[in-house]
Amino acid sequence: MDNNQPLLKVENLQVSYRSGKSYNNVVKGVSFDLGRERLGIVGESGSGKSTIGRALLKLLPTAKIEADRMDFSGTDLLAASERQMLTIRGRRISMILQDPKFSLNPVHPVGDQIAEAYRVHYSASAAVAKQKTLDMLEAVQIRDPERVYGLYPHEVSGGMGQRIMIAMMLIPEPQIIIADEPTSALDVTVRMQVLNILNELVTNKGIGLIMISHDLNLVRNFCDRVLVMRHGEVVEERAARDMKNCTHPYTKGLLAAQPHIGGNRQPLPVLNRQPQALSPQETSV
Ligand SMILES: Nc1ncnc2c1ncn2[C@@H]1O[C@H](COP(=O)(O)OP(=O)(O)OP(=O)(O)O)[C@@H](O)[C@H]1O
Ligand SMILES: [Mg+2]
């Protein structure tokens, strides 16, 4: 495949959740491309970030997903059957979720679960899958892979659990990783390790990474490009290094609200509530 072609092209994505007899539109015409880069999606809680991630994998059974285009490396995701999606989900596009405790099966050793994630997609012997798993555990900086392989999910710490999840998502070698708040449950040291792992995948393996977070500071320091979302819409799209030149009042408000270590200790500003920064519902009240 041409390395300069975007991996993903999304145009005018709309997602609505069914509520009773009507639909509640929570993603309202979002468009973006993803190359072999780190794309950040930031925005307040409820702005639709996770919904976009799940819509790309069509993991929203109760929602209506519409778009002018939702292409992944030449595959039309909107038209793809559930059977086709099974060959894409996990194998070619994978999603790292916030809380590993919900995603790991409590009654199986973590190593077996990672090996299984490999064998679902590749026909490999148990011995080969185990070796791959041990290599992968090492790659996510788990010091004692043999021992950790046999642990149950309740026996691993939060940070280790997160790295185990990452190993599980990475073992099929996906081309796109959607990381939904992958580090918000982690302490600073483990967070840096996880970010380093993700960073290496983009730089060395040429994957595309979508990093979803409410932490603008994290995203602008880590990503190449940032989409700022509000009420289901992208209100600003910018190169991360150019974030200081943002123009939308909401983004400006977010940036101004970032605390600076060593800066003067003024109270944090209140977000700008002028009409441009508000949703239609808010302006009508
Ligand atoms: N399964 C669902 N059924 C109905 N409504 C949903 C569902 N999932 C999310 N929503 C609603 O859709 C909107 C967007 O939710 P989403 O989870 O995408 O937000 P988010 O930006 O990821 O927020 P957070 O930062 O809190 O994770 C919210 O108003 C939420 O209540
Ligand atoms: Mg979310």
Side-chain angles (χ1 to χ4, degrees):
M1 204 187 70
D2 185 346
N3 273 358
N4 298 319
Q5 283 295 312
L7 294 164
L8 196 65
K9 278 174 181 278
V10 178
E11 279 170 30
N12 194 21
L13 173 66
Q14 311 261 355
V15 185
S16 311
Y17 288 106
R18 197 176 312 143
S19 94
K21 284 198 176 130
S22 61
Y23 279 90
N24 181 17
N25 188 210
V26 300
V27 174
K28 305 165 185 167
V30 166
S31 303
F32 62 92
D33 283 357
L34 175 73
R36 295 159 195 281
E37 61 178 332
R38 294 154 294 202
L39 174 70
I41 304 185
V42 283
E44 65 196 2
S45 184
S47 55
K49 307 179 298 292
S50 301
T51 301
I52 293 179
R54 288 195 214 106
L56 292 171
L57 287 170
K58 299 217 284 189
L59 280 173
L60 292 169
T62 62
K64 188 164 73 181
I65 304 172
E66 292 167 312
D68 293 345
R69 183 168 188 174
M70 201 160 92
D71 259 16
F72 161 58
S73 284
T75 305
D76 177 356
L77 292 175
L78 274 180
S81 64
E82 185 53 26
R83 219 170 137 183
Q84 271 177 296
M85 286 312 295
L86 288 175
T87 66
I88 292 175
R89 233 181 255 141
R91 164 72 188 86
R92 301 183 64 202
I93 307 181
S94 70
M95 193 155 173
I96 299 170
L97 297 168
Q98 186 169 350
D99 195 336
K101 297 251 153 40
F102 292 119
S103 312
L104 291 169
N105 187 329
V107 300
H108 291 291
V110 294
D112 285 348
Q113 296 187 51
I114 303 173
E116 186 56 27
Y118 186 67
R119 296 185 77 192
V120 164
H121 299 291
Y122 296 97
S123 56
S125 69
V128 168
K130 176 161 187 185
Q131 191 51 52
K132 269 251 163 206
T133 301
L134 293 172
D135 294 347
M136 193 48 83
L137 285 173
E138 217 170 324
V140 295
Q141 293 168 26
I142 284 180
R143 251 172 266 133
D144 189 358
E146 284 278 0
R147 184 183 68 85
V148 173
Y149 189 102
L151 297 180
Y152 286 85
H154 71 271
E155 295 175 310
V156 302
S157 67
M160 204 188 263
Q162 189 65 323
R163 278 176 288 163
I164 287 166
M165 274 301 299
I166 292 178
M168 201 160 139
M169 296 302 135
L170 297 187
I171 202 165
E173 301 189 357
Q175 288 148 294
I176 294 180
I177 293 178
I178 303 168
D180 192 349
E181 306 273 7
T183 61
S184 51
L186 307 178
D187 69 49
V188 179
T189 339
V190 183
R191 171 180 298 188
M192 287 315 293
Q193 287 170 358
V194 168
L195 291 177
N196 279 338
I197 295 163
L198 294 173
N199 191 32
E200 213 154 275
L201 287 164
V202 178
T203 333
N204 299 341
K205 299 244 160 110
I207 66 150
L209 174 72
I210 299 181
M211 166 85 127
I212 297 176
S213 175
H214 58 267
D215 185 343
L216 178 60
N217 233 356
L218 172 86
V219 162
R220 71 193 272 244
N221 286 320
F222 179 72
C223 293
D224 304 296
R225 211 149 51 84
V226 183
L227 306 180
V228 181
M229 293 207 47
R230 184 129 208 258
H231 300 302
E233 286 173 294
V234 173
V235 294
E236 185 124 19
E237 176 181 349
R238 220 161 248 286
R241 63 176 180 284
D242 186 38
M243 213 62 208
K244 58 186 179 305
N245 296 323
C246 62
T247 52
H248 194 278
Y250 175 63
T251 324
K252 284 183 168 174
L254 271 186
L255 266 190
Q258 301 287 324
H260 299 285
I261 296 172
N264 55 358
R265 295 188 183 196
Q266 300 296 325
L268 292 176
V270 174
L271 273 188
N272 191 341
R273 308 294 286 177
Q274 59 182 255
Q276 238 184 313
L278 301 178
S279 71
Q281 298 95 295
E282 282 176 314
T283 30
S284 60
V285 279

